[in-house]
Amino acid sequence: MKLHNPHIRQAILLFAAFLSLCAMVLGVVISSNTQLAMAVSETYSLKIHIDKYEEILAHYSGPTADHSALKLEMWSLNRHQLINNDLQTTLETLHNESEAQLRTRFTSSYIPIMLENQYLYAQGITEGIYYVRGNLPVNGKDNKFEFILDTSTAGSVREFDITAKTIGQRETPVGSYYFLKVSDDARRKPLRGAVFEVYRKTDAGEYVPYKRDGRLLTVQSGDDGEFSVTNVPYGHYALKEVQAPRGYALAENMVLFTVDANHDETLHVHKQHDVIVITNHRVPPLARTGASIIIVAVCVICAIILGICVRNGKLKRDE
């Protein structure tokens, strides 16, 4: 049958185009759903068992409970960062590091947790290796816990049953202090290479050398003039400069500072560091070359004396 009517031919073409468009949209929807299903299937969930869970559950089930603590901080590791390629050894090593130290080495993210009858529940975790910490305080008292998780070898397993390790309170709290070494002129030039010995104040009020691993602790300023005294017990300390930057005089006075809860990086990881600025006075060029001048002067005097002796000897021979 021939279609002589142009309107009919146009309608058929439009209908065919409409069917093609519907097929394309349907294909996109099917593809998106397939990708979404694959993404969902590649995430994992956790059942986390921790100490004192009944007490925690009762506290956070109350109407006035602060639920902002119901989260985990997860640091992502690659397999090369595992200690001896062993999860337990890595857990024991990372246990000794503060959150601030961990954030300088690994990428971290937060994931919410829910309270079930007998365990904490988390979901939506992607494939990888993670060091995980959480803290669920009850009545102002911390309940910290940690574990390490490797989903990369899970196979078909999509849910993990974890028994978290409790993190006890540190017997001796520690903190850090930060410093900046600069010139004392208007430029405030950062100075590298300044070396300081660290001293700690005793109960008798005397500053004595502070030792770490049996050796006197020393610190040195970097290219940007910055340096720090880190992970030392709370107390009163002093820095004594024993090597000045090249071309500068030693600082005459000891630098006193106090490490306390305001400088505890575990408790105040988001607080801006207090920084003590230490200045050095530039040594005048004449003073820096004093030894050379003395040597030259001695040589000149010796040459004069030698010349006089030679002249006197010649005069005697002439007589």
Side-chain angles (χ1 to χ4, degrees):
M1 180 180 66
K2 295 183 179 180
L3 300 176
H4 298 288
N5 191 327
H7 297 291
I8 295 177
R9 288 200 302 269
Q10 186 176 8
I12 292 174
L13 291 174
L14 289 174
F15 183 69
F18 174 74
L19 291 178
S20 299
L21 180 62
C22 290
M24 291 175 60
V25 172
L26 182 61
V28 170
V29 171
I30 293 174
S31 176
S32 299
N33 289 339
T34 302
Q35 292 179 2
L36 179 61
M38 291 177 62
V40 171
S41 66
E42 291 175 356
T43 61
Y44 304 85
S45 58
L46 302 177
K47 291 181 178 179
I48 308 166
H49 303 272
I50 61 175
D51 291 341
K52 302 180 181 179
Y53 185 71
E54 293 182 359
E55 179 182 348
I56 292 171
L57 180 62
H59 176 80
Y60 285 93
S61 298
T64 60
D66 179 11
H67 289 174
S68 62
L70 295 177
K71 61 185 178 182
L72 301 173
E73 186 166 9
M74 307 178 64
W75 287 273
S76 179
L77 287 67
N78 60 52
R79 193 157 297 279
H80 297 294
Q81 292 171 319
L82 294 178
I83 309 300
N84 297 329
N85 201 33
D86 181 71
L87 294 178
Q88 184 60 33
T89 303
T90 304
L91 174 64
E92 294 172 356
T93 301
L94 297 181
H95 167 82
N96 297 317
E97 298 194 16
S98 68
E99 281 82 357
Q101 291 172 318
L102 289 169
R103 292 189 187 107
T104 63
R105 298 176 55 195
F106 310 108
T107 301
S108 70
S109 59
Y110 291 93
I111 188 168
I113 50 179
M114 295 172 283
L115 297 168
E116 300 292 343
N117 288 332
Q118 297 179 346
Y119 52 82
L120 299 170
Y121 185 74
Q123 60 184 358
I125 299 169
T126 57
E127 183 175 303
I129 304 173
Y130 302 96
Y131 171 64
V132 186
R133 280 186 187 175
N135 184 21
L136 298 174
V138 174
N139 298 325
K141 186 177 180 181
D142 286 340
N143 288 294
K144 296 183 178 181
F145 56 93
E146 65 180 351
F147 58 91
I148 197 162
L149 173 69
D150 182 5
T151 66
S152 61
T153 58
S156 60
V157 176
R158 287 292 174 264
E159 186 173 82
F160 290 83
D161 204 310
I162 302 291
T163 299
K165 176 184 175 182
T166 300
I167 303 177
Q169 295 294 320
R170 292 177 299 186
E171 295 182 1
T172 304
V174 297
S176 304
Y177 219 107
Y178 295 81
F179 304 87
L180 177 63
K181 188 71 167 173
V182 298
S183 61
D184 66 351
D185 54 23
R187 293 187 304 162
R188 300 305 246 192
K189 176 185 175 182
L191 302 178
R192 66 182 298 271
V195 179
F196 294 85
E197 294 176 344
V198 181
Y199 290 76
R200 187 180 185 187
K201 190 177 183 180
T202 65
D203 293 337
E206 180 184 4
Y207 283 94
V208 298
Y210 176 73
K211 295 184 178 181
R212 177 176 288 172
D213 298 327
R215 302 177 64 180
L216 175 62
L217 179 62
T218 60
V219 290
Q220 181 172 335
S221 61
D223 292 339
D224 54 4
E226 296 180 359
F227 64 99
S228 59
V229 177
T230 59
N231 294 327
V232 294
Y234 289 4
H236 301 285
Y237 293 86
L239 293 179
K240 179 182 179 182
E241 188 172 34
V242 294
Q243 178 180 307
R246 186 174 182 180
Y248 290 82
L250 282 172
E252 296 180 357
N253 300 320
M254 297 182 76
V255 180
L256 306 182
F257 62 99
T258 300
V259 175
D260 53 24
N262 291 322
H263 306 95
D264 190 320
E265 294 188 355
T266 301
L267 300 176
H268 299 273
V269 293
H270 300 299
K271 184 175 181 179
Q272 186 175 2
H273 299 309
D274 291 330
V275 177
I276 293 180
V277 178
I278 306 173
T279 60
N280 274 80
H281 181 67
R282 191 170 185 84
V283 178
L286 182 61
R288 294 202 304 270
T289 58
S292 300
I293 293 174
I294 292 174
I295 293 174
V296 172
V298 170
C299 291
V300 170
I301 293 172
C302 290
I304 293 173
I305 294 174
L306 180 61
I308 293 174
C309 292
V310 171
R311 183 173 180 275
N312 290 340
K314 184 178 180 181
L315 290 175
K316 288 181 179 180
R317 287 196 300 271
D318 292 342
E319 291 176 356

